[in-house]
Amino acid sequence: MSFTSNLIFFLIFFLFFIIFIDLVQSQQILSDPDSDECKGKWVHVRKLPSSFNLDLLVNCSNYPIYDDFCPYLANHGLGHKTHNRSHSWFRTDPFMLELIFHRRILEYPCLTSDPNLADAIYLPYYSGIDALRYLYGPDVNSSSEHGLNLFRFLQQDSPHLWNRNYGFDHFLVMARPAWDFSQPLTHDPPIWGTSFLELPEFFNVTALTLESRAWPWQEQAIPYPTSFHPPNLQLLESWIGRVRRTHRTTLILFAGGGGVSSSPNIRHSIRVECENSTSSNSTINSSITKLCEVVDCSNGVCEHDPIRYMRPMLQSSFCLQPPGDTPTRRSTFDGILAGCIPVFFEDLSAKSQYGWHLLEKQYSEFSVFIPKEEVVLKGLKIIDVLTSIPKSEVRRMREKVIELIPRIIYRRHGDSMGWRTKKDAFDIAVEGAIQRIKSRIPVRSGS
């Protein structure tokens, strides 16, 4: 995409978004303040200067860590459609979740322009995009300052909003793993990441991240965006019907990269087992024609091409979700979307992450856990574990996975009213943030 086309695209995007934001924020109350439906659910969107969100998109082709993420800004962060006739499928980049969330919250039914009525205050700060300039490039040595400009603004603009609860009633979305914002302030010289979540100024803010650390209370992982964003309930139910009807001819699928070196790790073990599995096809039932398939997603070739991995996932019973550079994977949610039973190798990959969306006590009902040490160090065969599961149990687990689909997708903005009878990942995240805030404010106020 040329510089000129980038500029034209961005100007159109910017004007449309800013008009929509101003239209929403100019309304005094978007719902009846006495509504029982909104009791305890009111959200106020803090109006921030555009330097904290939309202005960060102007240089979408010039950040040093990305060659060009301008195409992923289309459709308010959903990306371009996978094909022109598509209504639900987009080439979504997971790091655009801040835009997706911002656009969706402007349609949240319990918005109020009066912060004194709000149960929670949302900060529409594109922290993950702003972080890019600190990861590589001229500002890398200032990574400990990431977020300080935002704090200064909050202190200067209606400071009582921040000070009344010391920031406990504020929340934001950070569309990267929390580790990318957790560089200790004492690191000199800086290494990877910024120090946003290490700043005492933001210790009280609830941060919704793609992956959280184990100990800080304020971090909560929410699902990576998939490429499926249906605008209405009919299209969602149509997809679920397809998932339920699909004939699954592959036992195991691994869609990912890595594992090609000889060093022992779980991805290497998976690749070796898959390569050696073809001669064992006669040992499985007649409905399965392939024991194991690998969709090689090395070098990011799958990131914006859902067709490459969704079709194989639809045809597979189990989708392997080994950790990589970090414990979590977007593929976990792609697999659930396809009705493919997830197989985890460590709790940090999901069980201790997504408690609002995937209840920890239900993991045995929709997933399989195989300790990676048993596979890598003791030679346990993944195929042996999965083929030992009775067919009736596999069917029951798959049905539970299918039930989870609405909870892990982000529906498209401008959705029909019928969609709102079901909660999607956005709805659950907002509800969770409000409950987290309510649980903290009494503790702080009474201290």
Side-chain angles (χ1 to χ4, degrees):
M1 186 179 289
S2 67
F3 174 80
T4 302
S5 57
N6 276 343
L7 182 60
I8 294 173
F9 166 79
F10 176 75
L11 287 174
I12 294 172
F13 172 87
F14 182 91
L15 288 172
F16 182 80
F17 208 159
I18 202 69
I19 290 170
F20 191 88
I21 291 174
D22 285 343
L23 176 64
V24 172
Q25 293 183 334
S26 66
Q27 299 182 49
Q28 292 300 304
I29 296 287
L30 299 185
S31 296
D32 180 358
D34 298 319
S35 169
D36 290 337
E37 178 188 355
C38 291
K39 187 176 182 180
K41 300 179 181 178
W42 290 105
V43 172
H44 173 71
V45 178
R46 191 77 185 261
K47 191 168 186 178
L48 302 181
S50 59
S51 59
F52 292 111
N53 41 58
L54 297 182
D55 288 357
L56 297 172
L57 309 180
V58 174
N59 296 322
C60 53
S61 61
N62 295 322
Y63 284 100
I65 195 171
Y66 283 139
D67 291 334
D68 183 359
F69 65 82
C70 299
Y72 315 138
L73 302 179
N75 295 301
H76 299 282
L78 302 183
H80 292 295
K81 295 179 179 181
T82 53
H83 51 282
N84 291 336
R85 297 179 61 185
S86 172
H87 297 288
S88 303
W89 289 93
F90 299 82
R91 302 187 185 279
T92 303
D93 188 295
F95 294 149
M96 297 299 107
L97 181 57
E98 292 154 357
L99 282 74
I100 297 170
F101 206 95
H102 189 186
R103 179 61 177 83
R104 278 290 306 282
I105 208 165
L106 299 180
E107 298 176 355
Y108 178 68
C110 299
L111 283 186
T112 175
S113 61
D114 185 352
N116 296 311
L117 296 179
D119 299 284
I121 296 177
Y122 166 67
L123 294 171
Y125 171 45
Y126 298 168
S127 53
I129 294 174
D130 196 22
L132 294 178
R133 60 193 175 100
Y134 296 107
L135 302 181
Y136 296 107
D139 293 324
V140 66
N141 291 324
S142 303
S143 57
S144 62
E145 299 177 7
H146 178 212
L148 288 179
N149 285 339
L150 174 64
F151 180 74
R152 295 185 189 104
F153 171 80
L154 296 173
Q155 286 283 288
Q156 296 167 6
D157 181 78
S158 303
H160 66 282
L161 295 182
W162 179 264
N163 294 330
R164 64 181 183 178
N165 287 304
Y166 304 94
F168 271 103
D169 52 359
H170 286 60
F171 75 100
L172 78 165
V173 175
M174 309 185 79
R176 299 186 72 86
W179 298 101
D180 290 353
F181 306 101
S182 307
Q183 180 178 187
L185 293 165
T186 55
H187 273 182
D188 187 19
I191 51 175
W192 173 261
T194 80
S195 301
F196 186 101
L197 293 175
E198 295 293 319
L199 294 173
E201 291 87 345
F202 289 103
F203 278 172
N204 299 340
V205 174
T206 296
L208 308 183
T209 61
L210 295 179
E211 176 181 314
S212 64
R213 296 173 292 172
W215 55 93
W217 72 264
Q218 75 267 39
E219 296 169 21
Q220 177 63 43
I222 60 176
Y224 287 77
T226 68
S227 291
F228 183 61
H229 309 282
N232 57 56
L233 200 56
Q234 181 181 1
L235 287 170
L236 170 67
E237 292 175 344
S238 175
W239 172 257
I240 289 175
R242 178 182 176 183
V243 170
R244 188 171 278 123
R245 293 190 304 270
T246 298
H247 181 52
R248 299 181 185 267
T249 57
T250 301
L251 179 69
I252 299 171
L253 177 77
F254 169 54
V260 294
S261 68
S262 58
S263 58
N265 60 61
I266 184 60
R267 294 195 177 208
H268 177 70
S269 296
I270 288 170
R271 285 184 177 270
V272 170
E273 185 170 348
C274 278
E275 290 170 1
N276 296 333
S277 68
T278 54
S279 61
S280 304
N281 283 354
S282 60
T283 66
I284 55 180
N285 64 69
S286 57
S287 64
I288 299 293
T289 60
K290 186 184 299 183
L291 272 176
C292 187
E293 179 179 359
V294 173
V295 176
D296 192 350
C297 291
S298 300
N299 302 316
V301 297
C302 297
E303 287 182 1
H304 308 108
D305 187 6
I307 296 174
R308 185 185 291 265
Y309 54 83
M310 285 304 299
R311 285 177 177 169
M313 284 179 170
L314 281 169
Q315 296 168 353
S316 303
S317 288
F318 296 95
C319 284
L320 308 184
Q321 305 298 348
D325 293 335
T326 66
T328 64
R329 308 183 69 215
R330 171 182 173 168
S331 178
T332 295
F333 302 101
D334 293 323
I336 291 174
L337 177 60
C340 190
I341 300 166
V343 180
F344 298 114
F345 299 90
E346 60 178 50
D347 283 343
L348 281 173
S349 290
K351 191 173 184 179
S352 60
Q353 295 282 345
Y354 305 103
W356 294 351
H357 296 78
L358 306 174
L359 299 181
E360 186 172 344
K361 63 182 180 181
Q362 295 181 355
Y363 266 74
S364 61
E365 300 177 18
F366 68 84
S367 68
V368 177
F369 180 74
I370 304 175
K372 61 184 180 183
E373 296 79 9
E374 296 290 318
V375 177
V376 177
L377 303 178
K378 299 183 181 180
L380 178 65
K381 298 300 181 185
I382 300 170
I383 291 174
D384 291 344
V385 174
L386 299 181
T387 54
S388 69
I389 301 175
K391 291 182 184 179
S392 59
E393 179 70 5
V394 172
R395 287 193 294 269
R396 187 196 62 77
M397 294 175 72
R398 181 175 302 118
E399 193 58 37
K400 188 65 178 179
V401 169
I402 292 173
E403 289 177 12
L404 294 172
I405 291 176
R407 298 176 63 86
I408 59 91
I409 62 173
Y410 295 87
R411 64 179 181 256
R412 185 180 179 181
H413 52 268
D415 59 302
S416 68
M417 290 299 293
W419 228 126
R420 296 176 185 175
T421 60
K422 289 184 180 291
K423 294 179 180 179
D424 75 335
F426 168 86
D427 296 320
I428 295 170
V430 172
E431 183 179 277
I434 292 172
Q435 293 305 314
R436 175 71 59 83
I437 287 167
K438 287 182 176 180
S439 73
R440 300 297 301 184
I441 288 180
V443 174
R444 184 63 182 87
S445 298
S447 61

